[in-house]
Amino acid sequence: MTTNTPIKLTSFSHGGGCGCKIAPGVLADILKNSSGFPVPKELMVGIETSDDAAVYRLNDEQALIATTDFFMPIVDDPYDFGRIAATNAISDVYAMGGTPIMALALVGMPINQLPIEVIGQIIKGGESICAEAGIPIAGGHTIDSVEPIYGLVVLGLIHPSKVKRNADARAGDKLILGKGLGVGILSAALKKEALDADGYATMIANTTRLNKPGMALAKLDGVHALTDVTGFGLLGHLLELARGAGLTAKLNMPQIPLLPKVQQLAEQGCITGASGRNWDAYGHDVMLDPAITPVQRALLSDPQTSGGLLVACDPATVDEVLALFRQQGFADAAVIGEMVEGAASITVTV
């Protein structure tokens, strides 16, 4: 199929990027009755703490990291869509502290509605990011589907002693976020045709920046826990970290980095439905300062596609972590709070 008419990829999908995720409360209901299964001793990380990837010990020197991520278009440009989806999928390996080694492509496309050239551009976009990560796409699977879907299975390696889980934060740890929040806000503005060229450029730059600092963070003993912020928003993924550690996470709203113009766009109503679904699922475990506005709350639960790394580290390691982020081009990285003794929950102050 060929056409000279511009294709709006987002018109084919009911949701885009990590905003497509099943809401955390619904997902919990789906999984709560899953039957148990024998867990081999080699499985270092499974589903028990909702971590970013599975980790399987191969020997005393190597553990295999396995993850997958895919979604519908968050942008209309097919090449950019492929880049974003690939970056997002590879991020889960970095979030475990690992080094990616190869990927498999997951491709579902409405073959009779999308030109072959458009599908090819999506795949090329994914290939470009894999090349940047230094890994091949070694295979994959394709289907004819109603909505465009693209993503990757990604495999990585790490020394078993260097695995960074999302459940190992300690009381007194400082929390550092590697990227600014607001991708969901920007995507909502794009759908409403309220996003200017600078806003789109910001969105693409943020969502296609590989979280490579994760590999170096794994080597720091002062880094205790690591995850990435994606579809459940900052609060959702931080709550997983707090529950895993059995601690309270304290956030300081003014310290949380935001992408340019997202607060103004949110105030204009550019907020995703996923943000509200996220809050409905976990808001009962979050205590907000009365001065927190509805827009700020929406930013905290805003679904991030290919979002930043979230680090829990010893206070003595903060400068080293921030320097590592800065050296690799993550100018927005900032200390946003700390872990303290208390029930597994989050408090947000101003």
Side-chain angles (χ1 to χ4, degrees):
M1 175 182 175
T2 60
T3 181
N4 294 322
T5 303
I7 297 293
K8 288 182 68 69
L9 283 180
T10 53
S11 68
F12 288 87
S13 56
H14 72 279
C18 285
C20 297
K21 278 190 174 183
I22 294 175
V26 177
L27 182 59
D29 287 340
I30 292 171
L31 296 178
K32 69 181 179 182
N33 293 321
S34 296
S35 58
F37 55 90
V39 177
K41 67 182 188 304
E42 293 86 0
L43 186 65
M44 298 178 60
V45 181
I47 64 173
E48 59 280 351
T49 60
S50 302
D51 218 323
D52 299 291
V55 182
Y56 188 94
R57 180 193 291 267
L58 299 175
N59 51 54
D60 290 343
E61 300 295 323
Q62 293 178 312
L64 179 69
I65 301 172
T67 185
T68 186
D69 233 312
F70 53 89
F71 46 61
M72 283 85 80
I74 188 174
V75 295
D76 291 317
D77 183 278
Y79 189 76
D80 284 345
F81 170 42
R83 293 171 66 212
I84 294 167
T87 306
N88 182 74
I90 297 170
S91 183
D92 284 339
V93 171
Y94 295 134
M96 303 305 299
T99 300
I101 56 172
M102 72 172 183
L104 306 173
L106 302 174
V107 184
M109 296 289 155
I111 296 299
N112 292 328
Q113 294 177 275
L114 281 185
I116 297 300
E117 293 83 355
V118 169
I119 298 172
Q121 283 298 305
I122 294 170
I123 293 171
K124 284 183 179 180
E127 289 173 343
S128 73
I129 291 297
C130 287
E132 186 179 336
I135 62 173
I137 294 182
H141 184 64
T142 60
I143 62 169
D144 185 358
S145 64
V146 176
E147 296 178 283
I149 298 170
Y150 180 72
L152 302 174
V153 173
V154 188
L155 301 178
L157 290 174
I158 191 170
H159 191 284
S161 68
K162 300 299 183 183
V163 174
K164 299 298 181 182
R165 304 195 313 155
N166 69 349
D168 294 333
R170 304 177 188 177
D173 278 353
K174 296 297 183 180
L175 294 168
I176 297 173
L177 181 62
K179 292 182 182 181
L181 299 181
V183 172
I185 303 297
L186 296 177
S187 69
L190 181 65
K191 285 187 176 182
K192 293 186 175 184
E193 300 185 349
L195 190 65
D196 61 20
D198 288 343
Y200 185 81
T202 295
M203 179 180 174
I204 298 303
N206 198 71
T207 55
T208 59
R209 181 173 292 120
L210 288 164
N211 280 323
K212 289 184 177 181
M215 296 184 290
L217 291 169
K219 299 175 183 177
L220 301 181
D221 291 338
V223 172
H224 300 143
L226 191 60
T227 190
D228 62 350
V229 179
T230 55
F232 298 154
L234 174 60
L235 292 179
H237 294 284
L238 179 55
L239 192 55
E240 290 174 343
L241 191 150
R243 289 169 176 165
L247 297 170
T248 296
K250 293 182 65 177
L251 291 179
N252 187 319
M253 189 70 204
Q255 293 179 330
I256 297 172
L258 303 177
L259 296 175
K261 300 182 180 178
V262 298
Q263 182 147 338
Q264 300 95 306
L265 288 168
E267 289 170 351
Q268 295 167 16
C270 296
I271 296 172
T272 69
S275 177
R277 292 192 295 273
N278 283 342
W279 177 258
D280 290 342
Y282 52 63
H284 55 277
D285 285 328
V286 180
M287 182 176 294
L288 299 178
D289 186 289
I292 296 291
T293 68
V295 163
Q296 289 174 318
R297 193 189 82 177
L299 286 164
L300 292 170
S301 59
D302 185 52
Q304 303 303 289
T305 299
S306 189
L309 293 175
L310 180 61
V311 186
C313 67
D314 187 282
T317 311
V318 166
D319 289 344
E320 191 172 3
V321 171
L322 288 175
L324 194 157
F325 273 117
R326 303 274 192 271
Q327 290 164 7
Q328 298 196 38
F330 290 77
D332 288 344
V335 176
I336 62 170
E338 62 183 337
M339 303 299 293
V340 299
E341 296 287 354
S345 61
I346 299 172
T347 62
V348 186
T349 65
V350 294

